[in-house]
Amino acid sequence: CALDLLVSPENDGLAVAIEKARSSRREGKLPTDETVRLLLTAGRYRLLEPIVLTPADSRLHFIGPEKGTAIIDGGVELPKFVVGANGVWETKVPDGLAFNQLWVGGIRAQRARIPNDGFLYMADCCEKYPTRAFYADLKDIAPVLALDPADRDHVLVGHWESWDMGYDQIESLDSKTGHLVMRKGAMRKLFNGSIGRPRYVIENLRAALDAPGEWFHDVKSG
């Protein structure tokens, strides 16, 4: 036997339905081993914060509509873009909004990156911080070295190890040696012996905004 709850996108319907199922179990109105089916009607379900599910939410089933599509969406719609200087389109980002993905016209846009195609390659390993530091060729990181230290906080280093990849902020960067230290790093050593020089890219700096369709978030000015 299952409890069916009809859910609509209006009035935070998804969060309300989940809480109703939880409260029914807490109050003993519903056995813990009984399935609760959330029957989603078609539409877009806007999330203002993540839905956090725990073991107490076991047997909670999300059922899509027979007709139409139910989309659970945590995205934020930005104001319309306008043409700014040098043909660069601009919009104003709400204060405090941090994001790593931008969708334009239903298509995921590429964040401004160096290089536009392919990868950069780490020059050498760092014995002191093997999982989060490496030596870079100075010519590869010249655009980052040209930035004020405060602006480097918003630059991201995408790094690839054989079994691990991620994006990380820069903790420190030596302009003479190219020694780059990331704040968190990878789970394993960047140079693990099974591959050649590990790959990396640099993203989210204005100097990299040089190809159609790329985007750059100027965090300081919004």
Side-chain angles (χ1 to χ4, degrees):
C1 182
L3 172 65
D4 288 347
L5 297 176
L6 187 63
V7 186
S8 69
E10 288 76 27
N11 301 319
D12 205 16
L14 186 58
V16 171
I18 293 174
E19 181 53 35
K20 184 175 181 179
R22 289 170 175 169
S23 62
S24 295
R25 285 180 171 149
R26 285 196 304 265
E27 297 168 4
K29 298 178 182 178
L30 184 69
T32 57
D33 60 350
E34 186 167 325
T35 297
V36 177
R37 301 196 308 173
L38 303 183
L39 308 179
L40 277 63
T41 55
R44 187 178 297 272
Y45 294 76
R46 294 284 188 181
L47 300 183
L48 299 180
E49 58 185 22
I51 295 175
V52 180
L53 302 176
T54 72
D57 296 307
S58 296
R59 296 184 179 276
L60 185 63
H61 294 189
F62 294 77
I63 310 297
E66 293 184 2
K67 294 183 179 180
T69 303
I71 299 175
I72 301 174
D73 182 5
V76 174
E77 188 170 337
L78 297 176
K80 292 185 68 174
F81 282 78
V82 296
V83 181
N86 302 318
V88 176
W89 290 66
E90 300 175 349
T91 188
K92 186 67 175 177
V93 175
D95 292 340
L97 179 62
F99 59 95
N100 286 313
Q101 297 188 74
L102 178 68
W103 293 70
V104 181
I107 299 174
R108 184 180 183 274
Q110 172 63 54
R111 183 165 47 195
R113 60 170 271 173
I114 298 173
N116 287 330
D117 298 301
F119 304 93
L120 300 173
Y121 292 88
M122 301 178 190
D124 204 352
C125 63
C126 170
E127 297 294 339
K128 186 176 181 180
Y129 305 115
T131 63
R132 65 186 186 96
F134 61 92
Y135 288 90
D137 290 327
L138 292 178
K139 61 180 177 58
D140 291 339
I141 59 173
V144 184
L145 293 172
L147 296 174
D148 291 332
D151 292 331
R152 293 177 189 171
D153 287 343
H154 309 299
V155 173
L156 293 173
V157 178
H159 51 88
W160 284 263
E161 183 268 341
S162 291
W163 303 98
D164 190 9
M165 70 83 59
Y167 282 91
D168 211 338
Q169 292 173 290
I170 297 173
E171 180 177 293
S172 65
L173 180 59
D174 190 305
S175 61
K176 295 181 179 179
T177 65
H179 185 243
L180 189 154
V181 182
M182 298 180 288
R183 292 187 178 176
K184 295 181 180 179
M187 296 175 62
R188 302 171 179 82
K189 292 181 178 181
L190 295 171
F191 285 77
N192 63 16
S194 65
I195 57 175
R197 298 195 300 166
R199 300 166 292 164
Y200 76 101
V201 297
I202 300 170
E203 295 192 359
N204 202 53
L205 63 164
R206 188 181 293 276
L209 190 67
D210 58 359
E214 287 188 327
W215 63 273
F216 159 70
H217 182 196
D218 188 335
V219 179
K220 183 184 297 183
S221 69

